[in-house]
Amino acid sequence: MRVLKYAILGLLEQEKQTGYDIAAAFKGALGQFWSAKHSQIYPELKKLVAEGLIEFETVIQGEKLEKKLYSLTVAGEAELKEWMQRLEAVDVSHKDEFMLKTFFISSMEKEEAKELFSNQLDSRKRKLDELGRILTELEAEFGSNIVFSSPEFGHYLVLTRAIEREKGYIQWLERSLQFME
Amino acid sequence: MRVLKYAILGLLEQEKQTGYDIAAAFKGALGQFWSAKHSQIYPELKKLVAEGLIEFETVIQGEKLEKKLYSLTVAGEAELKEWMQRLEAVDVSHKDEFMLKTFFISSMEKEEAKELFSNQLDSRKRKLDELGRILTELEAEFGSNIVFSSPEFGHYLVLTRAIEREKGYIQWLERSLQFME
DNA sequence: ACTAAACATGTAAATAGTTACATGTTATAT
DNA sequence: ATATAACATGTAACTATTTACATGTTTAGT
């Protein structure tokens, strides 16, 4: 499927940037739904250059640090657009190791299961707090007038989705814990 | 992490079964959160036998079809238990290609974006219907008295989680579409 | 001046997962 | 009888991803 290819094309469409910047982007809100390590990014960038979808200019940072600023070619823009418009089927298995354990819950003692769920609940709550803080920052910077045409609309949508996903998970964990009483 | 290893151990703890049965299990509710193809399952089974975590007896089906019924060894049971009790950190990136596209939504025309979201909404609604039917079947078979000690409690929890996940996704899609008006 | 964190780029080796190749048996419906 | 779907097991090749190895520069704080 080469999804990383499109992730990179999409990021470069927003802004000229280095491989390092791309790796950093995956550490933000985007990383909730897609990410890759630099060891995967650099070879992919090389491949995309070879395919003529992106190009780069070498820029000197400070005295001698050479960094590569990548940008989309016309062909790259076309490929990105084609992928964006594709209507793909919903993929089934969003892998989740915790839910795999849950499936096997009958092999556990009730107290063990409760501990497992409580611990997961704590982690999810902490993550929700963190996401809430990021949203607050975004709203502080752009106000509540983020609409379709705003460049940060995508960021906003992804954040709200991540937050609601956590909320849903938390509710389910709480109800499941009650169920175990 | 070798999660497939634990998926197999967990399934074998519930019941003696063949590689084919394991592949079939991933096509049910469990498959919403973990799955693997038979081409990954068979080599993993071989590896687990070599490690002494599972063993098999060859059974003749009909005239000459040899099938291998796998079961847990004592060591396998211990490994499964150890994994079940592990309190692991929530992993960040649950990869979702649609959300990746969403992040890049500002590169689209509004009408294109609406089509993308409407299409996703339809798929999600169809999936929700399907999951609802499976839950109805489960409740028809076991009634609403599925409690912690029931062997189908894990199945029930996983199904309810899958259903609520879809509901949350659908709500977010609907609100996002309204936002685009 | 010095140090630590952040910036910056790569490769190698291993593991995980998918698609394609390959084969044969058994049960069910017509 | 016969065809089809389901049962059953494997390997090969490729793609995707992670962990580890490897190196060097720049910026910001003390």
Side-chain angles (χ1 to χ4, degrees):
Chain A
M1 282 159 280
R2 276 190 78 195
V3 183
L4 177 58
K5 165 180 155 178
Y6 299 105
I8 290 174
L9 294 179
L11 285 168
L12 294 183
E13 206 242 357
Q14 297 186 338
E15 198 169 2
K16 271 188 192 185
Q17 55 193 304
T18 66
Y20 187 89
D21 295 329
I22 289 166
F26 289 136
K27 283 173 186 155
L30 173 59
Q32 295 296 317
F33 300 103
W34 207 271
S35 74
K37 315 273 184 188
H38 78 275
S39 56
Q40 200 185 357
I41 295 166
Y42 290 117
E44 187 66 33
L45 284 167
K46 203 176 236 185
K47 206 172 171 187
L48 290 170
V49 169
E51 291 169 340
L53 301 176
I54 65 175
E55 56 194 5
F56 67 91
E57 37 171 337
T58 304
V59 170
I60 304 291
Q61 181 85 348
E63 277 292 287
K64 50 181 166 176
L65 201 171
E66 289 190 355
K67 62 180 188 181
K68 294 178 180 171
L69 265 183
Y70 290 90
S71 51
L72 285 190
T73 63
V74 175
E77 259 177 271
E79 279 263 308
L80 175 64
K81 193 159 196 182
E82 184 274 317
W83 170 73
M84 285 293 289
Q85 289 173 351
R86 246 185 258 163
L87 303 173
E88 267 152 321
V90 173
D91 52 319
V92 188
S93 146
H94 282 228
K95 293 189 170 179
D96 184 331
E97 194 173 341
F98 179 79
M99 291 308 299
L100 179 63
K101 284 187 188 177
T102 297
F103 189 76
F104 301 133
I105 198 168
S106 62
S107 78
M108 290 189 110
E109 296 299 320
K110 196 187 267 195
E111 288 310 312
E112 282 170 359
K114 278 187 193 170
E115 204 199 335
L116 192 69
F117 273 63
S118 299
N119 174 72
Q120 184 74 194
L121 185 57
D122 284 353
S123 306
R124 295 275 165 192
K125 279 181 175 170
R126 259 180 278 118
K127 194 174 159 183
L128 179 60
D129 281 352
E130 195 195 308
L131 291 168
R133 272 195 298 277
I134 301 173
L135 181 62
T136 305
E137 278 170 40
L138 193 72
E139 284 176 339
E141 198 174 351
F142 300 100
S144 320
N145 43 23
I146 302 174
V147 288
F148 184 83
S149 50
S150 324
E152 55 283 338
F153 190 54
H155 190 174
Y156 176 77
L157 287 180
V158 162
L159 253 178
T160 56
R161 177 72 198 109
I163 286 169
E164 277 159 43
R165 180 173 64 172
E166 288 311 311
K167 281 184 184 166
Y169 216 128
I170 286 167
Q171 273 172 37
W172 173 84
L173 284 164
E174 284 170 343
R175 276 202 301 94
S176 300
L177 270 165
Q178 279 168 30
F179 222 133
M180 291 182 209
E181 293 309 332
Chain B
M1 282 157 278
R2 279 189 78 195
V3 182
L4 176 58
K5 163 179 156 178
Y6 299 105
I8 291 175
L9 294 180
L11 285 167
L12 293 182
E13 207 243 356
Q14 297 187 337
E15 199 170 2
K16 269 189 193 186
Q17 55 193 304
T18 66
Y20 187 89
D21 294 331
I22 289 166
F26 289 136
K27 282 171 186 154
L30 173 59
Q32 295 296 319
F33 300 103
W34 207 270
S35 76
K37 316 273 181 186
H38 77 274
S39 55
Q40 202 186 356
I41 295 166
Y42 289 118
E44 187 65 34
L45 284 167
K46 202 175 237 185
K47 205 173 171 187
L48 290 170
V49 169
E51 291 169 339
L53 301 176
I54 63 174
E55 57 195 4
F56 67 92
E57 38 171 337
T58 304
V59 171
I60 302 291
Q61 183 84 347
E63 277 293 286
K64 50 181 167 178
L65 201 170
E66 290 189 354
K67 62 178 188 181
K68 295 177 178 169
L69 265 184
Y70 290 91
S71 50
L72 285 189
T73 62
V74 175
E77 259 178 90
E79 279 264 307
L80 174 64
K81 192 159 197 182
E82 183 272 316
W83 170 73
M84 287 292 291
Q85 289 173 351
R86 246 185 258 165
L87 303 173
E88 266 153 321
V90 173
D91 53 319
V92 187
S93 147
H94 281 231
K95 291 187 172 180
D96 183 331
E97 194 173 341
F98 179 78
M99 291 308 299
L100 180 61
K101 283 186 189 177
T102 298
F103 190 75
F104 301 133
I105 198 169
S106 62
S107 78
M108 290 188 110
E109 296 299 317
K110 196 188 264 193
E111 287 311 312
E112 284 170 356
K114 277 187 193 170
E115 205 199 335
L116 192 70
F117 273 63
S118 299
N119 174 73
Q120 184 75 194
L121 184 57
D122 284 354
S123 306
R124 295 275 165 192
K125 279 180 174 168
R126 259 181 277 117
K127 194 174 160 184
L128 179 61
D129 281 352
E130 196 194 307
L131 291 167
R133 273 196 299 278
I134 301 172
L135 182 61
T136 305
E137 279 170 40
L138 193 72
E139 284 175 339
E141 198 174 350
F142 300 101
S144 319
N145 42 22
I146 302 174
V147 289
F148 184 83
S149 50
S150 324
E152 55 283 338
F153 189 54
H155 191 174
Y156 175 77
L157 286 180
V158 162
L159 253 178
T160 57
R161 177 73 197 108
I163 285 169
E164 278 159 43
R165 181 173 62 170
E166 287 312 310
K167 281 184 184 167
Y169 215 129
I170 286 167
Q171 274 172 36
W172 173 83
L173 284 164
E174 283 171 341
R175 278 202 301 95
S176 300
L177 270 165
Q178 279 168 30
F179 223 133
M180 290 181 211
E181 293 309 334

